[in-house]
Amino acid sequence: MLWEGLKLMGIGMATVMLFLLLMIACIGWVKHLTRNYTLLQQQALKSLRKSSTNSTQPLPISAVPVEVFAAAISKFESDNSITKT
């Protein structure tokens, strides 16, 4: 019985190892196939960084200021405290 368990464990671990090796090989194959595209993307990003100015972008103004949210929350809480008592 112990021998069968050890055989099953060996077969299972060998299967997992083969699967992982296959996955590593597939990842390497995809890396090899997309190497030209990756180089083009890196060059495009470098040229984009060089062409853009170093000026900081202004932060977008939100449609509703934070103070409005704070007022709405305090009003909601005050209404709820009145109705609960």
Side-chain angles (χ1 to χ4, degrees):
M1 175 133 164
L2 181 62
W3 180 245
E4 286 83 14
L6 290 174
K7 285 194 300 188
L8 183 62
M9 181 188 70
I11 291 171
M13 292 184 78
T15 304
V16 170
M17 184 63 74
L18 288 173
F19 177 75
L20 291 175
L21 288 174
L22 179 67
M23 289 300 297
I24 291 170
C26 287
I27 290 171
W29 181 61
V30 169
K31 179 182 169 185
H32 178 73
L33 290 177
T34 59
R35 68 186 182 281
N36 292 332
Y37 179 75
T38 304
L39 290 174
L40 290 175
Q41 286 295 99
Q42 287 176 349
Q43 290 172 354
L45 287 173
K46 284 181 184 176
S47 66
L48 182 65
R49 284 187 201 131
K50 287 180 182 177
S51 67
S52 67
T53 60
N54 289 338
S55 65
T56 59
Q57 298 283 341
L59 294 175
I61 299 173
S62 62
V64 181
V66 175
E67 293 83 10
V68 174
F69 284 118
I73 290 170
S74 64
K75 176 68 175 163
F76 177 78
E77 288 176 351
S78 67
D79 288 346
N80 280 345
S81 67
I82 292 171
T83 58
K84 287 183 180 179
T85 58

